[in-house]
Amino acid sequence: MPEGKEGTEMNYADKLLRNGKAMILAYDHGLEHGSADFNETNANPEFVFDIALNAGFTGIAVHKGIAERYYTGKYRKIPLVLKLNGKTNLVKDEPCPGLICTVKEAIDLGAAAVGYTIYLGSRYEAKMLSEFSGIQYLAHQNGLAVVGWIYPRGGNVKDETSREMLAYAARIGLELGADMIKIKYNGNPDDLKWCVRCAGDVKVLIAGGLKVEEEQLYKQVTEIMGAGATGLAIGRNVWQNLIPIKVCENLRKIVFGE
Ligand code: FBP
């Protein structure tokens, strides 16, 4: 652990937290989903960086091309989570994301954390587990937090969001030494409580998913926080909204009580 203020121990994830909670803006969709998620407005990375800066996010997660071009000037106040691997959604067989960035590049870009996706249950799972392990070691050596996007997926996984699969994903984060994990919510707060329990002291963040009605989003986020999650790593439900600042205000009330 690195030293914090006055010699106290600091957790790597602290840089992504405010009052112990986190709200990270995810914007890695251009690689993961192509242009399908974007419109004239949110296709512009500056629009999304402005939301992160002005709406109280504790971090922004992007791939390196976006970081190299846009993580500059005022935006450097936002803690950066740099995604180190990724894939497109064109290849439909077993998920096997490629490593597209190194920990060294993340450090050079000023990242506070690295992000890495593990598709638990994929035929290529072993490659992801060992890649993650090397990245975790190097990131911690350099004081960066490690955020695992851990999604059960592939031919061996019957139900990606069953209680057992989600808890397995959560536990993998603890076993592999992640500081934070990002998993999906299946709509059942008891299942999420169990995931949080299985994750030990690893901070659990929940992905937003496809855009839903605002009231539904707030209800879900209230359940998520009530179940003991640390917060959100959310994308489409924020930057696809016509008035993102207003949604974020409501999300902040639920996540941070602000
Ligand atoms: P959303 O809140 O928009 O769902 O973003 C969360 C996220 O994990 C992104 O970081 C990622 O690009 C995407 O979902 C992956 O979604 P999937 O692989 O399920 O299509």
Side-chain angles (χ1 to χ4, degrees), residues 26-33 37 61 63 83 87 89 119 149 151 153 160 182 184 206-211 233-239:
Y27 190 57
D28 54 344
H29 303 62
L31 177 58
E32 300 291 332
H33 300 159
D37 293 335
H63 288 294
K83 285 290 303 284
K87 64 164 189 56
N89 64 4
Y119 293 105
W149 272 233
Y151 295 154
R153 199 166 291 175
E160 294 178 4
K182 173 172 177 179
K184 306 224 172 188
I206 301 296
L210 288 171
K211 185 166 175 294
I234 187 168
R236 287 163 286 184
N237 275 286
V238 170
W239 43 257

Side-chain angles (χ1 to χ4, degrees), residues 7-37:
T8 53
E9 219 174 56
M10 188 178 101
N11 288 308
Y12 297 102
D14 282 355
K15 287 166 280 184
L16 299 173
L17 300 174
R18 185 163 71 246
N19 298 329
K21 305 288 184 230
M23 221 166 86
I24 293 172
L25 193 55
Y27 190 57
D28 54 344
H29 303 62
L31 177 58
E32 300 291 332
H33 300 159
S35 66
D37 293 335

Side-chain angles (χ1 to χ4, degrees), residues 21-22 192 220-232 254-256:
K21 305 288 184 230
L192 179 54
Q220 274 197 11
V221 176
T222 305
E223 287 172 9
I224 286 166
M225 298 313 291
T230 293
L232 309 171
I254 306 170
V255 173
F256 302 103

Side-chain angles (χ1 to χ4, degrees), residues 129-169:
L129 295 179
S130 59
E131 245 174 37
F132 184 94
S133 163
I135 283 165
Q136 185 264 9
Y137 178 76
L138 258 185
H140 282 177
Q141 288 275 303
N142 289 282
L144 271 66
V146 179
V147 186
W149 272 233
I150 311 189
Y151 295 154
R153 199 166 291 175
N156 296 305
V157 177
K158 285 196 186 67
D159 181 354
E160 294 178 4
T161 57
S162 70
R163 174 184 172 99
E164 179 54 28
M165 278 296 109
L166 292 175
Y168 206 157

Side-chain angles (χ1 to χ4, degrees), residues 28 32 61-64 81-86 100-101 113-117 147 149:
D28 54 344
E32 300 291 332
V62 295
H63 288 294
K64 77 168 181 180
V81 181
L82 199 67
K83 285 290 303 284
L84 300 191
N85 69 344
I100 52 174
C101 186
V114 290
Y116 184 96
T117 304
V147 186
W149 272 233

Side-chain angles (χ1 to χ4, degrees), residues 183-223:
I183 59 173
K184 306 224 172 188
Y185 178 55
N186 68 4
N188 182 329
D190 281 339
D191 289 357
L192 179 54
K193 268 188 205 155
W194 177 233
C195 293
V196 171
R197 181 81 182 139
C198 290
D201 65 356
V202 177
K203 314 277 180 216
V204 177
L205 306 179
I206 301 296
L210 288 171
K211 185 166 175 294
V212 293
E213 290 295 317
E214 276 181 50
E215 287 317 310
Q216 191 186 335
L217 176 68
Y218 303 143
K219 179 177 170 287
Q220 274 197 11
V221 176
T222 305
E223 287 172 9

